[in-house]
Amino acid sequence: MEDSKSKSLNFLEEIVQTDIAEGKYPQGIFTRFPPEPNGYLHIGHAKSICLNFGLAQKFGGKTNLRFDDTNPMTEETEYVESIKSDVAWLGFQWENELYASNYFEQIYQFAVELIRKGLAYVDDSSAEEIAALKGTPTTPGTNSPFRDRSLDENLALFASMRNGEFPDGAKVLRAKIDMAHPNMHMRDPLMYRIRHVPHHRTGNQWCIYPMYDFAHGQSDSMEGITHSICTLEFDVHRPLYDWFINKLEIFPSHQYEFARLNLSHTVMSKRKLLQMVNEKVVSGWDDPRMPTISALRRRGFTAASIRNFCERIGVAKRDNLIDISLLEFCIREDLNKIADRVMAVMDPVKLIITNYPEGQTEDLLIENNPEDLETGKRVVPFSRELYIEREDFMVEPPKKFFRLGPGLQVRLKGAYIISCEHFELNADGSVKEIHASYIPESKSGQDTSGIHVKGTIHWVSIPHAIQAEVRLFDRLLIVEDASELGDDFVKFINPESLQVIESAFVEPSLAQATVGEAMQFIRKGYYCLDRDSKPGHLVFNRTVTLKDTWAKEQKK
RNA sequence: UGACCUAUGGUGUAAUGGUAACACACCAGUUUUUGGUUCUGGUUUUCUAGGUUCGAAUCCUGGUAGGUCAACCA
């Protein structure tokens, strides 16, 4: 085998491999990604998606996309659409697009069957009463006064529930298990509740809806899901998952749990993400600072980089906090190979090449990507007056400063070596303009000057440059671990998570940029054109900075 | 004062009773017309106490620490 030396399997892959080796699933393995359509997908979901689809792909199985739409109060078609497009964008194809609501009739029949078996009963108690009789983790619960209704009465009452004869909350259907069970989920869990609420798919067809525990396992089973993977908090649900399947004597899907993804410097809970949207701390679900798939996409992350990230974080059962620098590494790794290099000056200062003829323009050819010469070259106009980055010039440069300063030389990327002659200051002491002379025989690609300079800086030609807005994004929170933070987590939002540069200057080739297209602004970072761009007003998002060892050096 | 899950460098993940490794991060150096990239090297690890064994990160027992569970949410 070509990859006999391949990496060791994760614990889920081992389970699948063992099951296959034992011939447990001759029909092949089946997984499913089961989101509730009540919000947008985030990078934590991406982990689950990669796990579910990846598991099936690796072992020749298939994966369904199933919407867990059993709560009509919270679910909307809008979310269904965004979830589908996110999963597809991530690069996965589902075998079937399914909905738990497809199974409402069958699930209802399952419930009737359990009533017939004496394993379910209709309870007239209120939510408060049920909670009161439930006990606590350390004290057993008490049987409901309605627990011993006759089979016929239960059947009739459940049918009436379905027929809409009772208002919301008047009755529920419960499994008859054990009110003293040490696992709270086994203390006669609710199976059905009454909700006179239209459903985004079934409309007014139903007024009773199955609970998660009586829908998820049953849906898995009906679809022949062999390996139903979910996050750790469902671990305590597994005995119930198995109990229903057992008593119903249906296809035995099995549930396995893994630890959810936690990312440093961000929040992941739907509640907190929603809070930021509602409090307008961010501009929306796809504000590029959000950890949602749609935000990452807008920010310039590639699907490949996210898949790669999910691969690298691995999967296990212990709580984890992944450093966001790994995500940043993954996107840099990908973009380094595929992003064309261009020049953009964020904080411009004027540079005049004193010995370059006024009015002259030179079309320089500069490689698009030194990592991939196949990408060819582009034309970049050069002239007497340029913008360079303010931080690339220092009036009193320290020893290890390889850029421009009085008497210093640098190369202008793809152009000439220049020598700084003098500079002028504004009234406030800031640099107004820099005067330098160029060395004609040092032209990039045909340099006969014999001069070697330590630094190369980027630039744009003033008469040719395009003014643009640039949005610099950085880590959302100033704290690593947000898990301990309450609603006041917004206090810890990084004030520099968004900085807008209204007037940056980019090279003219960027007039042709398309929304979402990834590019590297040389020496600055990876960027993409935002959808807010309009003709005459380009808006760029910074996906991630380049690694900056100089900045690190300076902090020392 | 319950049930269940978990414990390996700074962060993750491997090692499936036989030399604790890989990635990120960090630190050096190399390369470089991006202080990017590349390449090389380095620092840093088995929660604890017993037990089984020729041999334990791995198996057993106790302890400790963290997490999950008491929605008519999923």
Side-chain angles (χ1 to χ4, degrees), chain A residues 280-323:
Chain A
K280 303 213 187 305
V281 175
V282 294
S283 63
W285 286 95
D286 67 347
D287 182 301
R289 291 169 291 175
M290 296 279 272
T292 56
I293 305 293
S294 50
L296 290 167
R297 178 169 59 220
R298 182 177 177 188
R299 176 147 162 185
F301 279 75
T302 59
S305 72
I306 292 174
R307 276 187 261 116
N308 198 243
F309 171 74
C310 290
E311 181 68 32
R312 283 170 182 269
I313 59 177
V315 61
K317 295 189 78 158
R318 60 167 155 160
D319 293 323
N320 58 78
L321 181 62
I322 306 287
D323 197 314

Side-chain angles (χ1 to χ4, degrees), chain A residues 12-49:
Chain A
L12 294 169
E13 292 167 340
E14 265 179 32
I15 289 166
V16 173
Q17 194 183 52
T18 303
D19 288 347
I20 288 174
E22 289 173 356
K24 233 164 159 180
Y25 301 110
Q27 74 278 26
I29 70 148
F30 241 105
T31 59
R32 100 271 91 113
F33 173 61
E36 182 188 14
N38 70 345
Y40 295 89
L41 261 29
H42 55 60
I43 186 137
H45 293 107
K47 175 179 181 179
S48 172
I49 291 167

